[in-house]
Amino acid sequence: MLSPLALPVRLSVFLVACALIVPNGVSQLLQPDNPAAALTVNPFNADAGIAAIARALAASELAPGSLEALRGTAERTLAAAPGDARAMSALGAVLEREGDRDGGYALFEQARAISATEIHAILRLLDRSLAAGEHAEVLDLIDVALRRWPSYWPQLAEVLTYMAGTPDGRSELADRLGQRPPWRSSALRHLLRTEAGLPMVSALVGAELAAGAPADAGDVNAVIAALVGRGAVASAYQLFMASLSPEERSVAGYVFDPGFTQPAGRYHFGWSFRQGTGAEMRLGIDAPGSGGLLVRFLDSPARLGGVAQLLRLPTGRYSLAMEADASQLQAPRGLYWRLACVGGRQGELVRLAAETGSYAARASEVTFEVPATDCALQRLSLETGVETDSWRDRYSGSFSVRSVSVTRL
C-alpha cells in the first residue's frame, strides 16, 4: 500500500520528466529545418547548436555582433558536450571567422585528437596543409575523409585536380595512387578528365604495367579511352599492348584475337559483343568459349553491328580476310564485315561480304588502303544492310566466323 507521500513524489518525478522530454522532442523536430529555433527550445541540444553555427557561418554576410553571439552558442554547446569533436570544430570555426586562426586550428587539431574522422576539422586542416604545400599531409587527410565520408568526394576531388597541376603535388599524388588506396579508381577517372591529370595518370599506369604490377582492366581501359578521346591514339594503343598477358599477346595483331578465343568486352581495342535484333549470337561455334563467332538468324529482319573492334592501322595497303561456314544462309540485304575510319571525313574503307547458301571453311578476302589523314582509328564490325523492319528482308540460316584478320601488304 502506497504511503501518503508516495503519490505526490511520483507525480513530481513524472512532471519533471515531462518538462525535460517535451522540449527535447520539440527541439529535435525543429532541428532539421530551423536549428536556431530548436536551440531556443532546448539550449542543451548539441546537434542543433552545431547545425545552427554551421548554417550561420555559411552565410555570405553576418550581421554586426552575430559572431560574438555564435561564439557564445559554440561555447555553451561545447560545455554541454565537452567530448563532442563536432562541437569543438564548431567553436574552432567561429574563432577562425573572428580572425583567430591559431586558436581555431588548435581546436581543429583537438577535435581530431578526439575523433580522427571529424570531417569539418579535416576540411579546415586540409586547407591549411594545402596552402603550406604539405602535400603528403593533404593526402593523409583526404584518405581518412574518403574512407569515412565518401559523400565528400566531389569537394575533395577538386583538391586532387589542384595537386595534379603542381609539380610537387603531382609527384606526391602519383606515389599515393601507386599505393592503391580504396578511392584510387575514382581518382583516376576524375583526373583523366582534367588537363594535368591525363598525362600523370597515363604515365603512372604505364609505369606500373612496365614494372609488372597487377593491372586493373577497368583502370587501363579508362586511361586508353581518355587518350583516344584526346586524339593520342598511338599512346593509347601502346598502353593496350603493354597491358596484355603473354597468352593475350599471342593473339594480338592488327585484329586482336582474330579467332574469338578471348572473353569479349575486356579491352578497349578488343572485341565488343552486343546482341543485335533478329539474330542470336554467341562467342564459340561448337560451344561457348570454343572459339569463333556463331550467328543464328531468326527468319526476320536482322540488324547487327554489336560485334565490333577498334583497330589502329598505320597508313598503308592491307588485306581483310575471313574464314567462315554457313548453313542455308539467306541475307537479302547482305551480311558483311565493314571497316570504317572513326571520326574525320574518310568514312568507310571497305566491306567484306559473306556468301549465302551452305558451305564449310570458305576463305575470302578484299584489299583496301588506309589514307594518311583523318583515319588514325578504325572500326571493324559485322553488319547487315537492313535499315527498316520490312519483312521482305527476312534473314535465316546460320553463319559461323572462324577467323577475321587484317594483313599488311
Side-chain angles (χ1 to χ4, degrees):
M1 185 174 182
L2 293 176
S3 69
L5 293 177
L7 185 58
V9 169
R10 290 190 177 186
L11 181 59
S12 298
V13 171
F14 173 74
L15 292 175
V16 170
C18 287
L20 293 174
I21 293 171
V22 171
N24 188 52
V26 173
S27 180
Q28 289 179 352
L29 287 173
L30 292 172
Q31 180 183 313
D33 298 323
N34 195 338
L39 198 61
T40 302
V41 174
N42 179 10
F44 300 102
N45 184 341
D47 290 337
I50 294 164
I53 294 166
R55 183 171 293 191
L57 291 177
S60 56
E61 294 184 8
L62 290 173
S66 57
L67 274 175
E68 184 177 352
L70 280 178
R71 179 162 25 90
T73 300
E75 289 170 346
R76 287 191 298 274
T77 301
L78 185 57
D84 193 323
R86 299 170 306 155
M88 197 165 288
S89 283
L91 179 56
V94 174
L95 293 182
E96 186 185 20
R97 190 70 171 266
E98 286 182 327
D100 183 5
R101 294 177 63 84
D102 291 341
Y105 282 114
L107 285 170
F108 295 141
E109 289 170 349
Q110 289 180 43
R112 285 209 70 217
I114 295 171
S115 173
T117 60
E118 207 298 290
I119 187 61
H120 301 293
I122 287 175
L123 295 176
R124 298 309 304 134
L125 293 171
L126 191 154
D127 282 348
R128 182 182 67 173
S129 297
L130 192 63
E134 298 170 347
H135 297 116
E137 176 65 18
V138 168
L139 290 168
D140 286 341
L141 291 167
I142 287 176
D143 185 62
V144 172
L146 289 177
R147 289 171 187 265
R148 174 61 182 85
W149 304 100
S151 62
Y152 279 82
W153 165 252
Q155 185 174 345
L156 297 172
E158 293 311 310
V159 180
L160 300 182
T161 301
Y162 172 80
M163 292 184 67
T166 66
D168 291 342
R170 184 162 52 247
S171 176
E172 289 281 358
L173 181 55
D175 287 345
R176 186 60 58 95
L177 292 174
Q179 297 171 22
R180 300 178 181 267
W183 42 272
R184 169 186 159 110
S185 289
S186 296
L188 293 184
R189 282 157 176 76
H190 169 76
L191 292 168
L192 287 171
R193 295 191 292 269
T194 68
E195 195 67 32
L198 175 58
M200 186 204 81
V201 173
S202 177
L204 169 65
V205 173
E208 290 176 340
L209 292 172
D216 180 279
D219 290 348
V220 173
N221 279 336
V223 178
I224 291 173
L227 289 170
V228 169
R230 297 288 184 91
V233 176
S235 297
Y237 193 77
Q238 288 171 4
L239 192 63
F240 161 68
M241 291 298 295
S243 71
L244 300 180
S245 68
E247 178 188 359
E248 291 162 342
R249 281 197 197 95
S250 69
V251 295
Y254 287 122
V255 174
F256 176 73
D257 187 24
F260 302 92
T261 60
Q262 304 295 311
R266 184 179 176 190
Y267 302 104
H268 194 81
F269 283 98
W271 289 112
S272 61
F273 182 83
R274 188 181 70 253
Q275 293 288 350
T277 60
E280 293 178 345
M281 297 186 290
R282 78 173 187 213
L283 295 177
I285 295 173
D286 300 319
S290 64
L293 169 69
L294 175 63
V295 183
R296 285 199 177 99
F297 291 103
L298 304 178
D299 196 27
S300 64
R303 295 187 187 187
L304 304 183
V307 176
Q309 182 176 146
L310 290 178
L311 309 184
R312 165 66 175 138
L313 302 177
T315 301
R317 189 166 180 78
Y318 298 85
S319 167
L320 173 62
M322 168 177 61
E323 183 179 346
D325 307 339
S327 176
Q328 299 181 346
L329 176 64
Q330 297 297 319
R333 291 285 180 178
L335 174 64
Y336 49 86
W337 287 101
R338 178 178 184 266
L339 183 63
C341 300
V342 176
R345 295 170 294 177
Q346 296 292 345
E348 185 175 299
L349 296 176
V350 73
R351 292 184 182 187
L352 176 57
E355 296 183 39
T356 57
S358 298
Y359 48 85
R362 179 168 295 181
S364 57
E365 67 177 307
V366 64
T367 60
F368 65 96
E369 189 166 345
V370 175
T373 59
D374 287 334
C375 199
L377 191 66
Q378 305 83 32
R379 183 176 187 267
L380 178 64
S381 56
L382 181 63
E383 301 188 10
T384 65
V386 174
E387 296 180 357
T388 62
D389 292 333
S390 170
W391 282 87
R392 292 176 297 180
D393 301 328
R394 291 160 60 180
Y395 281 62
S396 61
S398 65
F399 180 64
S400 302
V401 183
R402 297 197 174 274
S403 68
V404 57
S405 61
V406 170
T407 304
R408 188 159 193 169
L409 301 178

